[in-house]
């Protein structure tokens, strides 16, 4: 029963993440770079900080925790956050060229597979005594493979969509639709985004041990990863403010209340995925396989819900029944991938 609860919590977080781009449509008179960095303040700084405080028992502090953390683990967690930030930037571009459904599917699918594998592999390179590769059991590898198969099937549906629709129909569904460019960017986004889980692996012991509730143990590491990602995104957005001369966005007092609210909402929905991941893992401790696969499961569910949004937003409008059937098969495979490893 606890495993079902844990997976359900992760699924709720995935649904929230897949919905985080909806509030952005309500932001007024701000350029992309302005609203991206403001929502990032909430998503990558404020909310992760508040979440990390839940992992701090009474009489202790975050500063104390970070001070006692080995400097190598501390900075590697932040470093992979910086690299993940590159994935976050290109992630948005993948949706620009492929749409919410297909863009998230390819990027998050790549992220799911590589993120799950890269963490133990890199951890084993630096700390061979930890035997991190031992976590990559047959069940875990099977789960990753099935997830990637599901992503490949959804990618096939996207290719069929690209081949069957006229240019006007493509533009009607996704304004800047460009399948070759979008696929290349989505793969890069997925590879770099996988660094988030690598950062979590390096920071998995950054907590107060038995004094920290198991449901909150990964939240301090999550904060360090998102701080690194914020650094990357802030540099790029401020550069774009300078290049596009959009500094005046920050002085538009009449829209600040509206825009800050929707940036907060978008940030909260985005952060919910990793808050839910931490809570969910607290219920999965009896299954080492699901603990290792939890990040992969989160990304797979993100893909499922992003495609639900894609259907709602009519990004698949005009596609043949065969294309839609292939898409649904891909979604079903991803759902199966979440439970299959536990049955092996």
């Amino acid at each position: 029963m606890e495993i079902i609860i844990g997976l359900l919590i992760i699924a709720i977080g995935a649904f929230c993440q897949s919905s985080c781009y909806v509030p952005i449509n309500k932001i007024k008179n701000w350029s992309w770079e302005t609203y991206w960095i403001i929502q990032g303040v909430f998503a990558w700084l404020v909310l992760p900080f508040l979440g990390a405080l839940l992992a701090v028992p009474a009489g202790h502090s975050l500063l104390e925790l970070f001070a006692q953390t080995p400097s190598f683990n501390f900075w590697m967690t932040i470093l992979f956050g910086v690299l993940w930030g590159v994935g976050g930037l290109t992630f948005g571009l993948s949706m620009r060229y492929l749409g919410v459904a297909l863009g998230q599917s390819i990027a998050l699918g790549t992220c799911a597979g590589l993120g799950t594998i890269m963490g133990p592999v890199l951890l084993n390179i630096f700390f061979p005594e930890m035997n991190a590769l031992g976590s990559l059991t047959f069940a875990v590898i099977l789960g990753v493979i099935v997830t990637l198969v599901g992503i490949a099937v959804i990618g096939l549906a996207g290719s069929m969509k690209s081949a069957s629709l006229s240019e006007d129909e493509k533009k009607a569904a996704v304004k800047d639709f460009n399948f070759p460019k979008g696929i290349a960017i989505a793969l890069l986004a997925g590879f770099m985004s996988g660094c988030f889980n690598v950062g979590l692996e390096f920071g998995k012991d950054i907590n107060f041990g038995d004094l920290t509730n198991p449901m909150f143990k990964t939240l301090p590491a999550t904060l360090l990863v998102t701080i690194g990602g914020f650094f990357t995104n802030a540099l790029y957005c401020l550069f774009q403010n300078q290049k596009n001369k959009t500094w005046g966005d920050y002085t538009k007092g009449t829209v600040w209340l509206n825009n800050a609210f929707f940036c907060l909402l978008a940030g909260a929905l985005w952060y919910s995925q990793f808050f839910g991941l931490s809570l969910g893992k607290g219920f999965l401790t009896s299954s080492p396989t699901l603990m290792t696969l939890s990040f992969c499961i989160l990304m797979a569910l993100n893909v499922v819900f992003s495609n639900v949004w894609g259907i709602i937003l009519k990004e698949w409008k005009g596609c043949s029944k065969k294309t839609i059937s292939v898409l649904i098969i891909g979604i079903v495979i991803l759902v199966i991938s979440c439970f299959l490893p536990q049955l092996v």
Side-chain angles (χ1 to χ4, degrees):
M1 185 61 184
E2 284 197 345
I3 287 177
I4 298 298
I5 293 174
L7 292 176
L8 181 60
I9 292 174
I10 292 175
I12 292 172
F15 175 77
C16 290
Q17 187 279 335
S18 299
S19 309
C20 72
Y21 290 92
V22 176
I24 288 177
N25 293 326
K26 301 291 185 179
I27 294 173
K28 303 175 181 177
N29 299 322
W30 272 3
S31 61
W32 175 87
E33 56 267 23
T34 301
Y35 76 67
W36 189 252
I37 194 60
I38 296 300
Q39 69 84 30
V41 169
F42 295 114
W44 308 322
L45 294 181
V46 176
L47 294 171
F49 172 75
L50 295 176
L53 291 178
L54 295 174
V56 180
H60 298 273
S61 69
L62 270 179
L63 288 178
E64 174 192 349
L65 174 62
F66 293 151
Q68 69 184 30
T69 298
S71 59
F72 181 80
N73 295 68
F74 180 88
W75 289 110
M76 288 295 282
T77 304
I78 293 179
L79 171 62
F80 279 100
V82 172
L83 297 176
W84 159 75
V86 177
L89 287 171
T90 50
F91 186 76
L93 286 175
S94 70
M95 287 185 291
R96 173 182 176 182
Y97 294 118
L98 296 176
V100 173
L102 188 55
Q104 289 207 47
S105 297
I106 303 302
L108 292 177
T110 308
C111 175
L114 292 179
T116 301
I117 301 298
M118 284 194 304
V121 169
L122 291 177
L123 206 60
N124 187 76
I125 292 175
F126 291 101
F127 303 105
E129 70 278 3
M130 293 178 62
N131 190 31
L133 290 179
S135 65
L136 297 180
T137 61
F138 171 77
V140 170
I141 299 298
L142 177 63
V144 171
I145 290 174
V146 174
T147 298
L148 293 179
V149 169
I151 297 302
V153 172
I154 290 177
L156 174 62
S159 179
M160 293 168 65
K161 169 187 174 181
S162 178
S164 65
L165 298 181
S166 67
E167 287 301 317
D168 289 340
E169 287 174 319
K170 293 174 188 176
K171 301 300 182 183
V174 181
K175 183 180 178 181
D176 297 318
F177 188 83
N178 187 316
F179 189 71
K181 181 185 290 187
I183 287 294
I185 294 175
L187 290 174
L188 173 62
F191 176 78
M192 299 304 291
S193 295
C195 292
F196 197 107
N197 195 46
V198 180
L200 292 182
E201 284 292 314
F202 275 98
K204 64 182 179 181
D205 293 326
I206 303 179
N207 53 67
F208 286 97
D210 293 338
L211 296 178
T212 298
N213 188 313
M215 293 192 295
F216 305 140
K217 280 192 172 182
T218 66
L219 294 179
T222 300
L223 170 61
L224 293 180
V225 174
T226 55
I227 285 175
F230 178 81
F231 176 78
T232 307
N233 282 264
L235 283 181
Y236 181 78
C237 289
L238 295 177
F239 168 76
Q240 288 297 314
N241 280 141
Q242 179 65 29
K243 177 183 176 182
N244 299 326
K245 303 187 185 306
T246 52
W247 294 107
D249 288 348
Y250 301 107
T251 63
K252 295 177 180 177
T254 56
V255 299
W256 253 101
L257 183 61
N258 174 83
N259 291 359
F261 171 76
F262 285 110
C263 282
L264 170 60
L265 182 56
L269 289 171
W270 183 90
Y271 178 63
S272 293
Q273 64 179 317
F274 292 111
F275 188 75
L277 177 64
S278 183
L279 296 185
K281 288 175 73 171
F283 289 92
L284 302 179
T285 51
S286 63
S287 173
T289 295
L290 289 182
M291 285 288 284
T292 302
L293 265 178
S294 57
F295 182 81
C296 187
I297 290 171
L298 173 64
M299 295 300 113
L301 291 173
N302 280 344
V303 172
V304 170
F305 290 122
S306 68
N307 277 283
V308 172
W309 275 112
I311 293 171
I312 293 173
L313 296 173
K314 299 181 179 179
E315 292 179 356
W316 296 90
K317 183 179 179 180
C319 293
S320 67
K321 290 183 179 180
K322 182 178 180 181
T323 299
I324 298 300
S325 297
V326 173
L327 172 66
I328 293 174
I329 290 173
I331 292 174
V332 170
I333 292 174
L334 287 180
V335 173
I336 292 174
S337 74
C338 299
F339 300 94
L340 181 62
Q342 187 64 16
L343 302 176
V344 175

